Amino acid sequence: MQLPAYYEFCNSVKTIVGHKALEQIPQSLKAINAQRPMIITDKGVEQAGLIKIVQAAMQKSKLKAAAIFDSVPADSDVKVVNEVAKLYRSKKCDSIIAVGGGSVLDTAKGTNILVSENAADLMQFVGYGNVKRKLRPLVAVPTTAGTGSEVTSVAVIANHEKNIKMAFGSLFLLPDIAIIDSRMTKTLPPTITAFTGMDALTHAVEAYFCLAKNPLSDTTALAAIQLIAQNLVNVVKKPSDLDGRLALALASNLAGMAFSNSMVGLVHNIGHAIGGVCGVPHGVCMNVLLPYGLEYNLHKAANYIGELLYPLAGEEVYNKTPKKERPLKTVEYIRKLIQDLHDATDGKHPRFLKEVYDKTGKQMIPKEKLPDIAKTAMSDPAQFYNPEDLDYNDYIMVLEAAWEGIPLDRKKIKKG
Amino acid sequence: MNALQYPEIKPKKKFIKRIYIAVMLWVVGRAIQAAAKVDKEVKEEFAKLKDNFLLKMWIWPNGPSMYVGKTKDGKVKYLGWKDKGYKPTLTMTIKSVEAAMLLFTFQEATAIATTRNRLVVDGDLPDACALVRILNIVEVYLLPKIIAKLAVKRYPKWSQMNPFRKHFGRILIYVRAFTI
Amino acid sequence: MIPYNFTFLSHPKICSGLKALEHIPFELESLNARKPLVITSARWAKKGLAKTLTKALYDSNITIGALFTNAPHYPGVTIINELSKLYRDRGCDSIIALGSGGIAHIAKAVNMVVSLKTDILQCSNLTISSPLKPLICVPTADCEGGEMAAVAYYERFEKQSDFLYPDVIVIDQRITRHATSQEVANCALTSLAHAIEACGIDVPNPINDAYAHTALQFIYQFLPKTIKKPCYKDGSVAIVNAAACADTAFSNAPQGIVHTLAQAIALDTNLKPGIVMGILLRYSLAAKLQSKGGIRPELLLALAGIDTYAKTPDKDRQKAAYNYLIQCIDATSKFVPTTLKGLNIPHYKLKEYAKLAAAKNKQHKETEYMALLEKSFEGK
């Protein structure tokens, strides 16, 4: 273990984990003087019956939601945030329970800024460190496993009218409480389970070898990777495995802790760009690009990538593989995991970019879009934390290989 | 307890370090302006930025500062260290004088300083990416290889920046940066 | 597999390493604070640490409300009240504890008084339900446990609350390098005991394990060199990092048998709890190794790393982990005896300590406490 010359680590979310974690919401809110929570969620979560489960769990301690907003869009929007804040104020709420994925969490964080600071305009809080005071209580209940956004101190909210994305960064944006309960991911369809699980795996893997890695992010990342490797395929094949579901949700939480403190690199860099240009879900992009992120950085992070073979493949494979071969074996195991998920979802889980289809069967990433994606990736700051530098041609090289589904030709990687 | 024994302590200033940083900021600002005229890649990067692009690079909380922006006719200009009512579209805030010293004495490369949270970037994040690429090129021009290798993540090979471009560009940038 | 069922909280932001002190102004600003009360001891002021901290706050907008350099070791009512008055009189809005042990607990107690606006003795009965004023801990390497945890020790009280965690922990070699070898031994043993007891619980808690394992890694890797020469490179930074991680692990697990006994003995004898923990831990581990549950094999992974763990056959891992842990304890053997007898603790006191411990922590029976004390007395 290396002690970095300088590092920072903060994980100040109270995490409650269990098959009955939701039942602890009332007493947790009571302990911080909150009695009138507002539930913020989206239609998908509501229709899956998850809000009813949350409410039933709260009802056991006679706590009722003072208001419910269930129309958060897939892409968090400032207009919606203002609407939610208005409802919060009119119902005299004093806390928020956000039940959902990244967009719901971001909307909840934005709302919390407005209602806590008694403000009408989020613009004054944009940037890093502009939220300087403790906000009102926020409970995060993630419904995927997942984005890890229940432990991140950032929120991104789009202003579609002005065509800008507002990014907020502050430790005060961290939720007070995160509830990791197996019931919230129990009904997640196999395809979504697969790519959200790969999203969490990417968080942990990138956190382990990117430039801001530190001892605590390392131990949490390794724990996350092991849990995902042991449970993801099983849960995709047997969705009712509640212990497995809980393990994956916990892994996503651990991975969130890891990457929010040591950042991410190439995989997220390109993944964000694909999401922006082609509208592909975040986890799907991460899934395909992960092996390429490792191949691209192998010459700079071989030792770290080699160590990942242990949590991914187990000790037998780790011992059998000579040290020099472990990095490439890690990549092989990640590709194997993607293939296993592809098989377990009857081919729906994509292995390469050209295999990403939407619900109507249309290809979502046409080859002609790759230059646009590369240009967009050049504008994403995740590249700062990647061990190796990237220019336009490097992005194209990675994208073309990921599109075809062929391993990266590492001889072509520019090493400076 | 005699409270008078424990007076209030107001922060002093580290004058010499501040002067050094001010000079380095001036050099970087002038070098960016010069590189925008001399180097094709830097020119292209700036061309893609919006017309109202204005960078503020400064040390929190009392400066020194450096402003570089695009003028009305699209040229890149070092605008000095005084805030003349500028509205930066991109702000790079270095958290302390000591953090700035680590950066400007090349003990920490820009990428490393970022990963160590020594600085905060606010504003248009795509522009921040362009700026980092510009700074990398400027550092390769300004600094001898042995130091530039510490400052940038990937020092360009011959195929990426041929020696003629590097050395000729270096001369031009030094001349333009240190003369009017 | 035992299903997960736990709660975990770690509040502090850790800033560790080169020029960490210079991050303090920015951290205070982000907590909306600009006028800290700095509390330290005469010893650290004499070593120049107060000056180092003051210089680190130059060129910022932070005015030190008062730099108190006479904090005693014991967090008593008088000093807490005096410092609370100083805080209020100077219009401070935050506290920086420069040092460990009593300094940190005095700072936490003062924070309770000024934030809850009540007398310190009333604080023990109050439930804290909202954050206190910003508190930054700048530990020296003579940690005694609890400085960076969700607990405050003052007078004879022990108060636990999520809101007693410091907001920021700043670990800088300029501060940590000044402890003596004896103090480093004490700090490392406390951290070791807390980390091991935190991950020895029945209900699995992978998040807490991550913190405990990190503490163990730091100690195993850095203790031997640091104890010989505390000012050696960043060894002291690593040991204090271990203390910070172990404190979090300790805050998220029930108090263990070693901790409870060591506290009882330390209160009565004024010995450092870490020294006592080091002795008790040795025999507690030996007993655990023979018991049904055994020692968790994953401790070997934390201590020795992936390569060694993977190569060690499953059946040998517990013993290997035990050996590595004893190695850590043995690294302090120059400064810590191997038996309670070596600390001049009379045998007749053992029953009293067992009783006190059982009254405080009912997780274990008096007979269990007594059994460990007997084994640790002469090492038989």
Side-chain angles (χ1 to χ4, degrees):
Chain A
M1 182 254 285
Q2 257 189 325
L3 177 63
Y6 179 80
Y7 82 92
E8 292 182 359
F9 188 92
C10 182
N11 163 38
S12 70
V13 179
K14 184 172 200 159
T15 309
I16 304 177
V17 182
H19 293 300
K20 297 260 179 246
L22 288 166
E23 273 77 347
Q24 302 217 33
I25 293 178
Q27 87 194 36
S28 308
L29 282 175
K30 196 175 174 199
I32 44 178
N33 289 335
Q35 290 149 1
R36 293 181 59 77
M38 170 185 210
I39 294 181
I40 299 179
T41 187
D42 63 37
K43 286 272 182 239
V45 169
E46 203 272 321
Q47 279 158 13
L50 301 184
I51 301 302
K52 282 207 168 67
I53 297 175
V54 173
Q55 286 175 302
M58 284 162 52
Q59 183 57 33
K60 287 183 188 168
S61 303
K62 311 247 187 301
L63 180 65
K64 229 176 140 184
I68 299 181
F69 184 94
D70 63 4
S71 307
V72 173
D75 197 10
S76 46
D77 182 87
V78 70
K79 263 196 180 149
V80 175
V81 171
N82 287 328
E83 219 182 303
V84 179
K86 196 172 170 196
L87 180 62
Y88 181 108
R89 287 180 185 124
S90 72
K91 295 288 181 183
K92 297 192 175 28
C93 301
D94 59 10
S95 47
I96 296 174
I97 302 173
V99 186
S103 171
V104 167
L105 242 324
D106 281 357
T107 305
K109 287 173 184 174
T111 307
N112 210 13
I113 298 175
L114 286 181
V115 301
S116 308
E117 296 285 351
N118 208 11
D121 181 15
L122 275 176
M123 277 306 286
Q124 56 187 295
F125 301 101
V126 166
Y128 182 82
N130 292 323
V131 178
K132 291 188 189 194
R133 275 194 288 244
K134 178 89 186 61
L135 302 181
R136 300 248 188 111
L138 171 60
V139 179
V141 184
T143 54
T144 59
T147 57
S149 39
E150 70 273 13
V151 288
T152 60
S153 56
V154 295
V156 178
I157 294 168
N159 185 329
H160 288 110
E161 266 177 27
K162 290 187 183 165
N163 203 18
I164 53 166
K165 279 214 163 151
M166 298 186 287
F168 308 87
S170 164
L171 288 175
F172 291 110
L173 287 177
L174 283 167
D176 297 88
I177 299 162
I179 303 283
I180 310 293
D181 188 311
S182 52
R183 290 171 287 182
M184 294 291 99
T185 49
K186 184 176 162 187
T187 54
L188 216 50
T191 44
I192 302 183
T193 307
F195 72 69
T196 50
M198 287 303 291
D199 188 10
L201 183 66
T202 309
H203 290 150
V205 167
E206 290 210 288
Y208 196 77
F209 74 80
C210 283
L211 291 178
K213 67 182 261 132
N214 57 72
L216 277 166
S217 73
D218 284 349
T219 38
T220 44
L222 286 174
I225 295 169
Q226 191 161 48
L227 285 170
I228 295 171
Q230 287 170 349
N231 290 281
L232 185 55
V233 178
N234 292 341
V235 170
V236 168
K237 288 183 181 158
K238 192 179 169 205
S240 59
D241 176 5
L242 283 180
D243 281 344
R245 288 281 189 197
L246 192 58
L248 287 178
L250 175 59
S252 161
N253 186 262
L254 282 160
M257 273 178 224
F259 95 82
S260 64
N261 284 288
S262 72
M263 300 302 149
V264 288
L266 167 61
V267 178
H268 274 74
N269 181 192
I270 301 182
H272 287 156
I274 297 177
V277 173
C278 303
V280 177
H282 179 84
V284 172
C285 309
M286 300 307 133
N287 158 68
V288 171
L289 293 164
L290 181 55
Y292 297 93
L294 293 169
E295 283 172 328
Y296 188 82
N297 287 296
L298 216 86
H299 62 285
K300 285 229 159 152
N303 278 342
Y304 303 135
I305 295 172
E307 285 169 357
L308 292 176
L309 185 62
Y310 168 72
L312 276 169
E315 59 212 39
E316 207 183 310
V317 172
Y318 187 83
N319 278 330
K320 261 198 284 195
T321 314
K323 193 168 180 184
K324 270 199 185 138
E325 291 171 32
R326 284 175 190 155
L328 281 171
K329 200 88 182 159
T330 299
V331 180
E332 193 186 302
Y333 261 79
I334 302 260
R335 288 209 158 99
K336 181 178 176 309
L337 177 59
I338 297 171
Q339 182 65 48
D340 287 347
L341 291 171
H342 177 82
D343 298 333
T345 54
D346 298 322
K348 292 198 197 97
H349 183 81
R351 295 163 299 178
F352 357 104
L353 295 180
K354 71 180 177 189
E355 237 178 30
V356 178
Y357 298 105
D358 65 16
K359 286 190 183 130
T360 65
K362 185 174 162 215
Q363 192 187 48
M364 289 187 86
I365 311 173
K367 203 167 184 185
E368 311 83 67
K369 286 278 184 186
L370 296 187
D372 277 341
I373 295 169
K375 280 197 199 105
T376 309
M378 287 183 70
S379 304
D380 186 293
Q383 63 190 269
F384 295 154
Y385 298 90
N386 197 57
E388 182 55 276
D389 221 347
L390 293 135
D391 61 24
Y392 176 79
N393 294 322
D394 298 322
Y395 284 116
I396 290 286
M397 175 178 68
V398 173
L399 281 164
E400 283 178 349
W403 197 83
E404 292 291 349
I406 49 174
L408 202 58
D409 183 353
R410 290 178 41 242
K411 291 198 199 88
K412 291 196 179 148
I413 300 171
K414 293 197 287 273
K415 291 169 190 155
Chain B
M1 182 212 295
N2 180 9
L4 294 171
Q5 258 186 292
Y6 314 108
E8 224 178 65
I9 303 176
K10 286 206 180 334
K12 291 189 186 157
K13 286 195 178 347
K14 297 178 182 175
F15 284 110
I16 299 183
K17 288 181 177 171
R18 290 172 67 83
I19 292 170
Y20 176 80
I21 294 165
V23 168
M24 292 301 282
L25 282 173
W26 179 84
V27 167
V28 169
R30 294 281 298 182
I32 292 176
Q33 175 181 289
K37 290 194 184 102
V38 161
D39 185 272
K40 185 171 159 237
E41 233 180 286
V42 174
K43 239 183 259 184
E44 277 169 9
E45 290 284 359
F46 268 113
K48 287 183 213 154
L49 301 177
K50 290 193 203 70
D51 291 339
N52 65 343
F53 172 79
L54 203 148
L55 163 73
K56 176 185 179 184
M57 195 176 194
W58 72 304
I59 317 307
W60 181 85
N62 300 316
S65 318
M66 179 268 276
Y67 295 88
V68 167
K70 278 171 103 164
T71 57
K72 281 187 199 137
D73 47 4
K75 289 206 177 113
V76 175
K77 202 166 168 3
Y78 167 65
L79 298 167
W81 51 273
K82 269 195 189 146
D83 181 2
K84 294 179 182 161
Y86 296 127
K87 287 197 174 68
T89 58
L90 182 69
T91 310
M92 279 179 80
T93 306
I94 303 173
K95 287 182 181 176
S96 65
V97 161
E98 289 302 324
M101 285 303 291
L102 289 171
L103 191 63
F104 291 123
T105 53
F106 313 107
Q107 292 176 68
E108 282 183 359
T110 320
I112 298 296
T114 314
T115 62
R116 290 180 185 171
N117 286 337
R118 306 284 195 199
L119 52 100
V120 176
V121 178
D122 257 329
D124 217 342
L125 291 178
D127 288 358
C129 299
L131 181 73
V132 169
R133 283 191 289 274
I134 292 165
L135 280 175
N136 280 346
I137 299 171
V138 165
E139 278 160 348
V140 167
Y141 277 125
L142 282 182
L143 304 166
K145 186 175 177 180
I146 194 166
I147 298 180
K149 270 184 121 166
L150 300 170
V152 303
K153 236 195 258 186
R154 184 168 69 184
Y155 193 84
K157 277 188 165 150
W158 280 33
S159 48
Q160 296 149 267
M161 186 192 267
N162 69 62
F164 176 75
R165 174 184 164 200
K166 186 167 77 181
H167 294 296
F168 188 61
R170 184 174 280 165
I171 295 170
L172 279 180
I173 285 175
Y174 267 107
V175 166
R176 283 181 184 270
F178 293 104
T179 59
I180 310 270
Chain C
M1 191 190 112
I2 305 170
Y4 299 124
N5 184 13
F6 65 84
T7 300
F8 178 87
L9 172 66
S10 162
H11 177 74
K13 175 175 183 175
I14 298 176
C15 299
S16 163
L18 178 67
K19 303 286 182 190
L21 290 175
E22 276 76 0
H23 281 251
I24 290 177
F26 201 88
E27 294 302 325
L28 278 172
E29 174 70 31
S30 60
L31 294 165
N32 213 15
R34 276 167 213 100
K35 198 170 186 187
L37 166 68
V38 179
I39 302 173
T40 190
S41 66
R43 175 187 175 194
W44 298 129
K46 212 171 166 190
K47 286 264 183 195
L49 301 196
K51 205 169 182 189
T52 305
L53 176 65
T54 309
K55 277 194 171 157
L57 304 186
Y58 280 179
D59 270 303
S60 72
N61 56 2
I62 304 297
T63 296
I64 296 176
L67 171 51
F68 184 76
T69 51
N70 279 304
H73 181 73
Y74 182 72
V77 168
T78 312
I79 187 67
I80 293 167
N81 287 335
E82 282 180 346
L83 287 174
S84 305
K85 184 174 186 302
L86 186 58
Y87 178 105
R88 283 187 291 261
D89 289 347
R90 295 290 169 87
C92 295
D93 56 13
S94 48
I95 300 173
I96 299 178
L98 174 58
S100 298
I103 295 169
H105 293 296
I106 290 172
K108 286 186 183 185
V110 170
N111 203 9
M112 277 198 286
V113 171
V114 301
S115 308
L116 302 174
K117 297 192 169 67
T118 185
D119 180 66
I120 183 60
L121 294 171
Q122 302 295 326
C123 287
S124 344
N125 300 323
L126 286 174
T127 308
I128 309 175
S129 56
S130 60
L132 306 178
K133 298 284 180 195
L135 170 63
I136 298 191
C137 238
V138 184
T140 41
D142 59 334
C143 302
E144 292 176 9
E147 292 91 339
M148 297 172 274
V151 70
Y153 300 113
Y154 54 94
E155 282 290 345
R156 298 271 154 170
F157 296 102
E158 175 183 322
K159 184 158 185 74
Q160 291 180 13
S161 166
D162 288 348
F163 296 103
L164 283 170
Y165 270 121
D167 294 288
V168 188
I169 298 170
V170 178
I171 307 174
D172 191 308
Q173 205 247 2
R174 291 170 288 179
I175 303 293
T176 58
R177 62 195 296 269
H178 295 281
T180 62
S181 297
Q182 176 79 55
E183 287 166 338
V184 169
N186 183 49
C187 176
L189 290 170
T190 310
S191 310
L192 200 61
H194 283 168
I196 293 168
E197 295 205 304
C199 50
I201 52 176
D202 294 325
V203 180
N205 184 338
I207 308 179
N208 211 22
D209 285 350
Y211 279 78
H213 289 184
T214 310
L216 293 174
Q217 281 174 14
F218 277 125
I219 294 169
Y220 183 75
Q221 246 182 278
F222 290 91
L223 183 58
K225 283 219 169 85
T226 312
I227 203 162
K228 284 198 189 123
K229 206 175 169 197
C231 58
Y232 174 75
K233 286 194 182 168
D234 52 4
S236 58
V237 171
I239 298 300
V240 176
N241 265 279
C245 295
D247 265 354
T248 293
F250 167 73
S251 300
N252 284 284
Q255 288 187 9
I257 190 169
V258 166
H259 169 88
T260 313
L261 274 174
Q263 287 280 349
I265 297 173
L267 265 171
D268 186 53
T269 57
N270 283 330
L271 286 163
K272 296 281 182 209
I275 308 293
V276 183
M277 283 192 218
I279 299 171
L280 294 171
L281 193 60
R282 194 185 280 278
Y283 303 101
S284 163
L285 285 170
K288 234 184 146 73
L289 189 63
Q290 307 300 331
S291 74
K292 197 171 143 198
I295 293 178
R296 280 184 64 190
E298 294 81 45
L299 294 183
L300 180 64
L301 175 62
L303 292 156
I306 298 175
D307 278 355
T308 309
Y309 183 76
K311 274 194 224 132
T312 311
D314 209 359
K315 58 177 175 53
D316 297 333
R317 282 176 181 163
Q318 285 198 40
K319 189 85 206 295
Y322 169 79
N323 288 336
Y324 272 79
L325 288 167
I326 295 298
Q327 256 184 61
C328 288
I329 301 173
D330 283 343
T332 64
S333 56
K334 249 180 132 177
F335 308 97
V336 180
T338 52
T339 61
L340 291 177
K341 199 173 178 190
L343 287 174
N344 294 327
I345 293 175
H347 187 271
Y348 70 85
K349 277 276 190 180
L350 297 187
K351 202 159 171 64
E352 186 187 317
Y353 296 143
K355 227 178 177 137
L356 278 167
K360 174 131 192 287
N361 182 358
K362 295 178 173 62
Q363 300 251 350
H364 306 275
K365 296 191 203 120
E366 194 178 319
T367 44
E368 278 178 79
Y369 288 114
M370 195 62 201
L372 179 57
L373 284 169
E374 286 286 9
K375 281 209 183 75
S376 316
F377 186 71
E378 276 182 320
K380 285 181 202 150

